[in-house]
């Protein structure tokens, strides 16, 4: 795999958590575009503008707000929420070209989504949902880690969970994860890859043993949905061996966890890794803090591994051959979809009902 994956620009990407965007200016780089985010004073609506003043390219994220207008911290050029410059110092006439780009932005499921491509193509209805992030009764721990690697490497990492056995042993990995075959389904039109692993008799890893109290062996299901290019959902279920769901699908003796990742390319060789772990069981603070710390450790193991892999790929001789096996089926499907989104003119994926 090349260590640079092309960007599909006419797509929605997660730029921040809702709690990160407020009256303090927030700068993020998405697909190589520097963007400044903030909320309007009265309605609290998120705004996304290009993060460079037209005058001398000073970062607007390092500037200040006057009401809903950004005042450049270098020479005072002032921009409204549409990116139009409404004031320049020392003269009454504002040049017609004095404006910065504004980006479509949507707040949904506690996430701030931004559209980098042609604004006329932005359709909020095509944003995939993660309703558990904002549903009553659910508790979520979350974080974001920047990684110095190609975003395609993170997609590969998350679609092949067999690495849990080796990279995350002692946290979420057990031998059964790598030993159990996967099933893969690909919906090319919708841009969705599904990878499932069903373990009928597995060791209970510390991540779940300490949080659920299960001491023995477990049934463990991992059902992945990857919505290209950005959203990854892992529907995780564990239960003591022999405990099966009811006929109606309910599972009073099982534990369901929703693990969510937003995979947002920052620039070539850089990606934002937004991670979230949601549950509707054992919602007390002690379990919450354990899961936060434990999952952060797991994420940092991935960060270190992907940083190393990116450096390794960067030093490979040209023409090296990559070997893929059955466990790579989902990741290879994701690569095809990402390439198609670029090659077909970045058409948005079909709305998923």
């Amino acid at each position: 795999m090349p260590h640079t994956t092309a960007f599909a620009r006419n797509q929605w990407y997660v730029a921040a958590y809702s709690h990160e965007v407020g009256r303090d200016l927030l700068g993020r780089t998405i697909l190589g575009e520097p963007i400044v985010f903030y909320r309007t004073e009265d309605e609290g609506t998120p705004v996304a503008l290009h993060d460079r003043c037209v005058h001398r390219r000073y970062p607007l994220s390092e500037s200040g707000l006057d009401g809903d207008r950004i005042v450049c911290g270098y020479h005072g050029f002032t921009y409204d929420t549409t990116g139009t410059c409404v004031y320049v110092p020392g003269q009454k006439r504002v040049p017609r070209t004095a404006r910065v780009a504004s980006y479509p932005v949507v707040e949904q499921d506690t996430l701030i989504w931004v559209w980098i491509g042609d604004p006329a193509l932005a359709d909020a209805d095509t944003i995939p949902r993660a309703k558990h992030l904002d549903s009553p009764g659910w508790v979520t721990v979350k974080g974001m880690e920047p990684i110095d690697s190609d975003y395609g490497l993170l997609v590969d990492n998350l679609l092949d969970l067999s690495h849990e056995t080796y990279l995350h042993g002692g946290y979420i990995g057990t031998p059964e994860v790598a030993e159990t075959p996967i099933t893969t389904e690909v919906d090319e039109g919708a841009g969705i890859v599904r990878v499932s692993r069903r373990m009928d008799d597995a060791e209970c890893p510390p991540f779940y043993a300490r949080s659920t109290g299960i001491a023995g062996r477990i049934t463990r299901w991992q059902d992945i949905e990857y919505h290209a290019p950005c959203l990854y959902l892992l529907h995780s279920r564990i239960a003591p061996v022999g405990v099966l769901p009811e006929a109606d699908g309910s599972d009073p003796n099982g534990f369901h966890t929703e693990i969510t990742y937003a995979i947002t390319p920052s620039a070539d060789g850089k990606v934002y890794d937004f991670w979230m772990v949601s549950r509707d069981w054992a919602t007390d603070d002690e379990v919450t803090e354990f899961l936060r710390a434990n999952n952060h450790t797991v994420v940092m193991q991935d960060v270190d591994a992907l940083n190393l892999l990116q450096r390794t790929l960067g030093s490979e001789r040209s023409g090296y051959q990559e070997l893929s096996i059955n466990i790579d089926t989902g990741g290879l499907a994701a690569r095809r979809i990402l390439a198609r989104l670029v090659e077909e003119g970045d058409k948005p994926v079909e709305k998923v009902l």
Side-chain angles (χ1 to χ4, degrees):
M1 173 187 176
H3 59 275
T4 299
T5 305
F7 299 148
R9 297 182 64 84
N10 282 328
Q11 303 293 328
W12 292 100
Y13 292 91
V14 172
Y17 292 114
S18 290
H19 74 265
E20 293 184 287
V21 177
R23 294 294 291 168
D24 292 328
L25 299 170
L26 173 70
R28 288 268 157 85
T29 300
I30 312 294
L31 277 61
E33 297 284 338
I35 305 176
V36 58
F37 296 88
Y38 67 98
R39 291 185 187 274
T40 57
E41 195 166 26
D42 293 332
E43 290 82 13
T45 304
V47 177
L49 302 178
H50 190 68
D51 189 20
R52 296 292 184 266
C53 179
V54 296
H55 179 228
R56 291 294 181 265
R57 314 304 295 167
Y58 192 80
L60 296 178
S61 58
E62 298 298 325
S63 302
L65 285 173
D66 179 8
D68 290 340
R69 297 174 173 180
I70 296 183
V71 181
C72 178
Y74 195 15
H75 292 100
F77 279 61
T78 302
Y79 304 87
D80 66 16
T81 58
T82 70
T84 302
C85 184
V86 295
Y87 170 80
V88 298
Q91 63 186 61
K92 292 184 178 180
R93 177 182 170 274
V94 176
R96 286 181 298 173
T97 57
R99 63 176 299 114
V100 297
S102 63
Y103 301 87
V105 60
V106 171
E107 184 170 17
Q108 179 175 281
D109 301 330
T110 74
L111 301 172
I112 302 293
W113 295 80
V114 67
W115 179 276
I116 302 298
D118 182 353
L121 298 178
D123 180 359
D125 288 340
T126 63
I127 299 175
R129 299 304 302 265
K131 295 181 180 179
H132 52 273
L133 296 175
D134 197 26
S135 294
W138 286 81
V139 174
T140 300
V141 295
K142 63 184 68 174
M144 189 278 281
E145 296 296 335
I147 309 178
D148 292 328
S149 84
D150 180 75
Y151 82 97
L153 297 182
L154 181 55
V155 175
D156 273 354
N157 171 278
L158 293 172
L159 281 170
D160 175 17
L161 294 182
S162 67
H163 78 275
E164 288 183 352
T165 298
Y166 305 99
L167 189 62
H168 305 310
Y171 292 91
I172 59 175
T174 66
E176 294 82 10
V177 181
E179 293 168 359
T180 303
I182 61 170
T183 60
T184 304
E185 298 178 5
V186 182
D187 187 333
E188 295 280 354
I192 300 174
V193 179
R194 295 181 173 89
V195 179
S196 295
R197 179 180 276 107
R198 302 291 175 87
M199 295 160 270
D200 293 329
D201 185 352
E203 177 186 337
C204 189
F207 182 84
Y208 286 117
R210 286 188 55 188
S211 57
T212 66
I214 295 177
R217 296 180 69 80
I218 59 171
T219 300
R220 185 179 184 185
W221 293 0
Q222 295 175 324
D223 295 305
I224 296 168
E225 291 179 44
Y226 170 60
H227 298 254
C230 187
L231 192 69
Y232 170 99
L233 306 172
L234 169 58
H235 312 295
S236 174
R237 172 193 176 270
I238 71 162
V241 166
V243 175
L244 299 176
E246 301 294 335
D248 63 0
S250 63
D251 191 6
N253 296 306
F255 297 86
H256 293 258
T257 307
E258 296 290 340
I259 299 168
T260 309
Y261 282 85
I263 305 164
T264 301
S266 174
D268 287 338
K270 294 182 181 296
V271 59
Y272 295 124
D273 180 3
F274 293 88
W275 58 268
M276 295 142 269
V277 178
S278 307
R279 71 192 193 283
D280 61 355
W281 46 268
T283 56
D284 57 90
D285 291 342
E286 183 178 353
V287 172
T288 296
E289 290 309 311
F290 167 74
L291 292 178
R292 186 195 314 279
N294 195 283
N295 202 72
H296 180 258
T297 299
V298 168
V299 169
M300 292 309 298
Q301 290 172 333
D302 281 335
V303 170
D304 291 342
L306 294 178
N307 284 343
L308 173 60
L309 184 55
Q310 180 73 19
R311 293 195 300 271
T312 302
L313 291 173
S315 64
E316 281 283 358
R317 58 180 172 80
S318 60
Y320 73 92
Q321 292 296 310
E322 182 183 65
L323 173 66
S324 295
I325 58 175
N326 289 342
I327 60 174
D328 302 306
T329 306
L332 293 174
R335 294 183 191 181
R336 292 196 307 270
I337 290 171
L338 290 172
R340 177 176 59 79
L341 293 178
V342 175
E343 293 169 2
E344 293 184 356
D346 281 346
K347 296 176 183 178
V349 295
E350 298 171 6
K351 180 180 177 181
V352 180
L353 299 177

